[in-house]
Amino acid sequence: MIFYKKEQQAFYLESKGVTYAFRVDGDGFLEHLYFGKSIGRDIPLPSDPAWDGTERAPSRSLNEVRLECPLYGRSDFRECMLALDFGGVRVADFRYEGHEIVPVKPTIQGMPSLRGGETLIISLRERVHNTVLKLFYTVFEDLPMLLRHAEITAGDDCKIDRAFSFSLDLPRGDYESITLVGAHMRERRIVRTPLSHGIFKADSKRGMSSAQTNPFLAVVKKNTDEERGDAYGFNLVYSGDFALVTQIEQNGELRVTGGLNDFDFSWELKKGETFATPEAVLVYSDRGLGGMSRAFHDGYRNYLIDQNRVFSARPIVINNWEATYFDFNTEKLCAIIDAARGTGIDTFVLDDGWFGVRRNDRAGLGDWTVNEDVVDLRKVIAHAHEAGMRFGLWFEPEMVNRDSNLYRAHPDWILHAEGMEPCMSRHQYVLDLTRKEVRDHIVEAVSNVLDSYPIDYVKWDMNRPLTENVSPSLGTRGKETHHRYILGLYNLFERVVKTHPNVFFEGCASGGCRFDAGILAYFPQIWTSDNTDAYARTFIQYGTSLCYPLSAMSCHVSAVPNHQCGRSESLRARGDIAHLGATGYELDLTKLSSSERQEISEQVKEYRAMSELIFRGDVYRLSDPESGLFAMEIISKDGKEAVITAMRSIYTVNEGPLRLFPKGLKDGEYEVNGVLMDKKTIEHYGLLPEFPFGDFATVTLKLKKR
Ligand code: GLA
């Protein structure tokens, strides 16, 4: 709940197990007091005379004050949350004006955000320019989580040079940051960095949240591990250029702030207009990284992802991409469908190459009409239906090949800098989503296919970063392009995804290059990585689980040797790792033996039996793949059932057994793969998984409460 202690002008924001407190100081600035484990509403405070609204300079150096909304120019020299330019003057001085507490969190215009209840809205006013700044704080009774964002309404014309979503100052301590970094096909690897004096920044300038750095940052204490110690998690509900910044300055305290990347960003705000920042999700856990992750997972499953989809059975797909790439025809596709009969796979997804003149990645992108010379789409769909399967189709609506009818008709519809040949990436250009006519065209072209054919599933792809981040149509406001592109993207999702409630949409961006909470607001699952190798996936899925629920990760079993790295793992190992998410298959089923197909049908059965755990369970990361042993436990909320999946990467001869120490069990006895053991024995003696002989072998352990 949100509690206002009037005599001290102090706010206590209480989410489950967490207190977040700040006050209005005698000058009308918001002084941060505390964020951490739940405490009383009795922080000793100086008895300042209440802020009376008189214009005056700050009576103390703001550089030494913990601030809720730091700005540059009034004696705080650290990273600011906002930077506004009033005709060349970058000094703005916002002071408290009032607040309200509303029972339901207001939505953020044009942007995705979590559903929420009780929300505190603080109003601050800049008196020289009469500009109003609103800070929003939402609390959760059932989660150690808070939401923050800001809205600026201009009293005078101004330019916003920085629009971060939150700022927080933490007391001195031996902090480390944790970020999720990587590359295409090596997404979201956990990196831990000691924080010292200076600035640490995780950001993207690629026009997408990116595989290189995810819009997630955790700040932990040096001794924090998976299940012990303080962990503060920060995640942005945003899919474009972002920055998450930490700074330790002269007094040794830690500032954490972030939001839209201010690099190459500026936004003209005319008098009376309002600008909203994306939402920031703040989590505190005193139970280490595991506690933090479980809070994010529950938060996103319960308050962000479509409730009609998030907990229901997911399509178990067979996707033709790694089976055929562009080399398919109606017969080949029908043969794959036939080979899937009886396996329990319930959805056939036709990937890239069904439209325009798209026979390779050099042509046809943007022309969303079925290429009848290549595929008889109605026949394939009918064949899938006849085999008892649903049908899905691939789109990449944001892009265009130069060799396409769309580009020939509208060469100016791409992001480009006037007079400069735009950079090509994967032989394609980025459509200018800032323009309404471009969005209208995409909505019409994609909807036309969805409305003309019985399509149950869409994979929405996006396969290159934004380079010339300029929409010439914006004239001198070119620095608004990055953010307007993402607003345009969300507008497309509203008009295509939301208007087709019967179609299941999966997100994708060259695999997991745009895996973020903004996408999850529209897509219950995202293709996690183009790297389908099971061992590589243990790292990717382990890292992704730091912030995002398993059910958000689309994971496929693919062929061996693996197409991305040449490794070969057993079908069992590939299945076990792909089961730790929204599972599926992506290989040529016609090339498998009948015993392999039989094994797949058993895997599908097994997956269905454990899918409730994947959708609703709590995750405990038992062992980091960096150690050579990957192990993840998923346990039901009532503790009655759990599954542990482990992979030993390299088999070492004559080495003692590996041991796993499950967590989160309830008192009493469990049957572990048929053997009865007490919770304490399991937790302290541990479990000794018996791995099959050889490298990259997996074991699954099933625990059932007696
Ligand atoms: C991207 C996706 C792949 C596949 C190809 C098709 O790389 O991540 O899964 O759809 O595009 O071109």
Side-chain angles (χ1 to χ4, degrees):
M1 74 170 286
I2 294 168
F3 185 79
Y4 177 53
K5 204 166 172 182
K6 194 161 177 226
E7 59 286 11
Q8 295 186 316
Q9 291 201 296
F11 297 90
Y12 285 87
L13 283 63
E14 296 163 349
S15 286
K16 188 184 179 191
V18 167
T19 299
Y20 187 110
F22 60 90
R23 68 158 188 147
V24 182
D25 78 358
D27 290 334
F29 294 109
L30 298 182
E31 178 178 3
H32 178 77
L33 299 171
Y34 177 79
F35 180 32
K37 199 175 170 72
S38 177
I39 56 169
R41 297 167 185 161
D42 51 3
I43 299 175
L45 293 174
S47 47
D48 289 355
W51 160 241
D52 60 6
T54 316
E55 150 59 26
R56 60 169 181 261
S59 58
R60 55 181 175 161
S61 162
L62 293 177
N63 211 74
E64 306 313 317
V65 182
R66 291 185 209 146
L67 293 165
E68 281 300 300
C69 181
L71 285 99
Y72 180 73
R74 292 294 259 174
S75 76
D76 182 21
F77 298 94
R78 296 166 290 178
E79 285 291 301
C80 59
M81 177 171 147
L82 300 170
L84 306 180
D85 179 340
F86 294 95
V89 176
R90 277 262 289 240
V91 182
D93 186 343
F94 285 92
R95 310 277 177 118
Y96 173 79
E97 190 174 62
H99 71 270
E100 58 176 324
I101 297 170
V102 296
V104 177
K105 195 196 99 176
T107 55
I108 306 179
Q109 188 62 34
M111 265 186 292
S113 64
L114 279 74
R115 301 171 288 275
E118 204 182 4
T119 300
L120 169 66
I121 308 170
I122 301 272
S123 295
L124 304 143
R125 186 177 292 273
E126 210 292 329
R127 290 191 315 178
V128 177
H129 303 287
N130 207 27
T131 291
V132 174
L133 171 63
K134 288 190 173 175
L135 303 179
F136 293 73
Y137 299 82
T138 302
V139 294
F140 290 85
E141 269 175 25
D142 56 345
L143 289 170
M145 188 171 95
L146 280 106
L147 306 175
R148 283 191 63 176
H149 83 279
E151 287 181 10
I152 307 154
T153 303
D156 278 340
D157 293 357
C158 70
K159 266 199 325 206
I160 305 173
D161 289 337
R162 173 178 281 193
F164 281 178
S165 305
F166 74 101
S167 185
L168 173 72
D169 291 333
L170 293 168
R172 294 172 56 175
D174 48 358
Y175 294 107
E176 299 186 339
S177 74
I178 293 184
T179 45
L180 297 175
V181 307
H184 175 222
M185 301 206 274
R186 195 161 38 75
E187 294 90 344
R188 289 172 297 287
R189 195 138 177 177
I190 298 171
V191 168
R192 198 160 166 156
T193 314
L195 293 174
S196 180
H197 280 70
I199 291 173
F200 175 89
K201 189 176 189 180
D203 79 333
S204 167
K205 301 186 187 77
R206 291 175 150 84
M208 63 216 293
S209 48
S210 94
Q212 287 69 17
T213 314
N214 193 265
F216 165 84
L217 175 104
V219 167
V220 299
K221 295 281 179 59
K222 204 172 171 182
N223 61 359
T224 300
D225 63 20
E226 269 299 313
E227 294 302 327
R228 283 166 309 188
D230 291 327
Y232 295 88
F234 306 92
N235 189 219
L236 298 169
V237 186
Y238 193 64
S239 310
D241 293 347
F242 72 90
L244 287 163
V245 183
T246 70
Q247 182 178 24
I248 298 179
E249 222 243 14
Q250 65 173 14
N251 67 8
E253 299 200 325
L254 176 72
R255 174 160 293 172
V256 188
T257 182
L260 294 179
N261 199 335
D262 55 341
F263 174 84
D264 203 23
F265 166 83
S266 171
W267 189 279
E268 274 184 34
L269 199 65
K270 299 268 182 251
K271 185 175 174 172
E273 287 178 350
T274 297
F275 181 90
T277 73
E279 186 156 271
V281 184
L282 283 64
V283 164
Y284 167 75
S285 153
D286 64 340
R287 297 183 49 208
L289 291 167
M292 176 199 73
S293 299
R294 291 186 286 279
F296 274 116
H297 297 178
D298 282 337
Y300 290 164
R301 291 187 297 202
N302 293 326
Y303 300 108
L304 177 70
I305 304 172
D306 181 353
Q307 293 298 284
N308 294 322
R309 297 279 187 205
V310 66
F311 299 118
S312 355
R314 300 295 169 85
I316 298 184
V317 309
I318 171 70
N319 177 306
N320 76 306
W321 179 242
E322 286 199 22
T324 66
Y325 297 102
F326 290 107
D327 183 19
F328 62 81
N329 55 33
T330 307
E331 288 63 44
K332 260 197 193 177
L333 300 177
C334 290
I336 293 176
I337 292 169
D338 287 336
R341 283 174 200 265
T343 57
I345 291 172
D346 58 21
T347 306
F348 173 74
V349 177
L350 173 52
D351 212 280
D352 195 354
W354 55 267
F355 50 88
V357 291
R358 183 86 165 168
R359 297 317 298 141
N360 53 48
D361 59 12
R362 290 171 180 270
L365 197 58
D367 297 338
W368 301 111
T369 47
V370 179
N371 184 343
E372 306 281 353
D373 295 337
V374 169
V375 61
D376 182 341
L377 195 61
R378 289 202 190 276
K379 191 168 172 191
V380 176
I381 297 176
H383 203 74
H385 288 172
E386 184 271 320
M389 286 186 227
R390 283 169 294 195
F391 179 80
L393 207 54
W394 179 95
F395 287 89
E396 194 181 352
E398 300 158 62
M399 301 286 161
V400 66
N401 280 130
R402 190 174 7 208
D403 184 1
S404 67
N405 294 335
L406 183 64
Y407 183 75
R408 279 184 285 274
H410 300 285
D412 59 323
W413 274 14
I414 60 166
L415 293 178
H416 66 285
E418 294 282 27
M420 208 183 280
E421 178 82 19
C423 289
M424 189 75 94
S425 179
R426 208 194 180 200
H427 316 290
Q428 64 196 51
Y429 294 138
V430 184
L431 287 170
D432 182 354
L433 299 192
T434 72
R435 292 173 63 167
K436 185 173 178 307
E437 60 274 35
V438 176
R439 297 196 301 269
D440 289 349
H441 169 81
I442 295 172
V443 171
E444 198 189 316
V446 175
S447 304
N448 191 26
V449 179
L450 298 185
D451 299 338
S452 311
Y453 296 86
I455 289 160
D456 309 297
Y457 180 113
V458 164
K459 177 176 169 188
W460 181 304
D461 208 343
M462 190 276 192
N463 281 320
R464 59 157 289 180
L466 280 53
T467 44
E468 296 77 9
N469 220 323
V470 191
S471 169
S473 71
L474 290 172
T476 56
R477 301 176 67 162
K479 284 182 169 183
E480 296 179 14
T481 309
H482 299 234
H483 186 48
R484 285 190 186 275
Y485 180 92
I486 296 296
L487 293 177
L489 179 68
Y490 293 142
N491 176 264
L492 283 185
F493 293 163
E494 290 289 336
R495 295 165 67 192
V496 178
V497 178
K498 290 261 175 90
T499 54
H500 292 88
N502 297 326
V503 178
F504 185 99
F505 284 85
E506 171 170 302
C508 177
S510 305
C513 297
R514 199 167 60 186
F515 201 117
D516 59 67
I519 298 293
L520 286 179
Y522 299 94
F523 301 79
Q525 64 190 48
I526 303 171
W527 181 225
T528 314
S529 176
D530 273 348
N531 192 339
T532 52
D533 170 69
Y535 172 62
R537 276 297 189 111
T538 60
F539 290 87
I540 296 166
Q541 293 170 207
Y542 189 90
T544 306
S545 79
L546 217 54
C547 183
Y548 307 100
L550 299 195
S551 64
M553 299 182 216
S554 179
C555 308
H556 293 175
V557 173
S558 63
V560 285
N562 178 268
H563 293 191
Q564 291 78 38
C565 56
R567 202 174 284 124
S568 288
E569 292 116 345
S570 67
L571 183 52
R572 161 139 185 224
R574 285 174 278 154
D576 285 344
I577 300 304
H579 282 184
L580 297 173
T583 204
Y585 291 81
E586 186 157 340
L587 71 179
D588 190 348
L589 292 174
T590 65
K591 296 204 171 119
L592 299 190
S593 65
S594 62
S595 71
E596 284 171 316
R597 283 209 293 275
Q598 179 56 30
E599 192 174 339
I600 288 180
S601 70
E602 275 149 30
Q603 286 184 345
V604 172
K605 255 189 240 135
E606 221 173 275
Y607 178 73
R608 285 198 210 285
M610 69 182 273
S611 59
E612 275 293 297
L613 277 178
I614 300 290
F615 300 154
R616 296 176 191 270
D618 281 337
V619 168
Y620 288 82
R621 286 176 295 264
L622 301 184
S623 184
D624 187 334
E626 301 278 358
S627 70
L629 173 68
F630 161 86
M632 202 180 252
E633 171 191 339
I634 308 129
I635 182 163
S636 60
K637 295 269 175 202
D638 61 10
K640 286 193 174 149
E641 254 191 286
V643 171
I644 297 168
T645 300
M647 176 186 265
R648 179 188 59 197
S649 52
I650 302 296
Y651 173 58
T652 312
V653 182
N654 279 340
E655 209 174 47
L658 293 163
R659 224 170 260 258
L660 297 173
F661 298 96
K663 304 261 167 16
L665 304 179
K666 302 276 186 235
D667 287 341
E669 289 185 314
Y670 282 82
E671 224 177 70
V672 185
N673 282 11
V675 177
L676 211 56
M677 287 171 84
D678 187 74
K679 171 211 177 203
K680 290 191 193 124
T681 318
I682 299 173
E683 287 190 346
H684 303 296
Y685 174 81
L687 299 177
L688 281 70
E690 285 176 31
F691 288 97
F693 184 66
D695 298 341
F696 310 112
T698 53
V699 161
T700 56
L701 299 167
K702 300 209 164 77
L703 282 70
K704 265 202 172 30
K705 182 107 203 326
R706 279 291 285 265

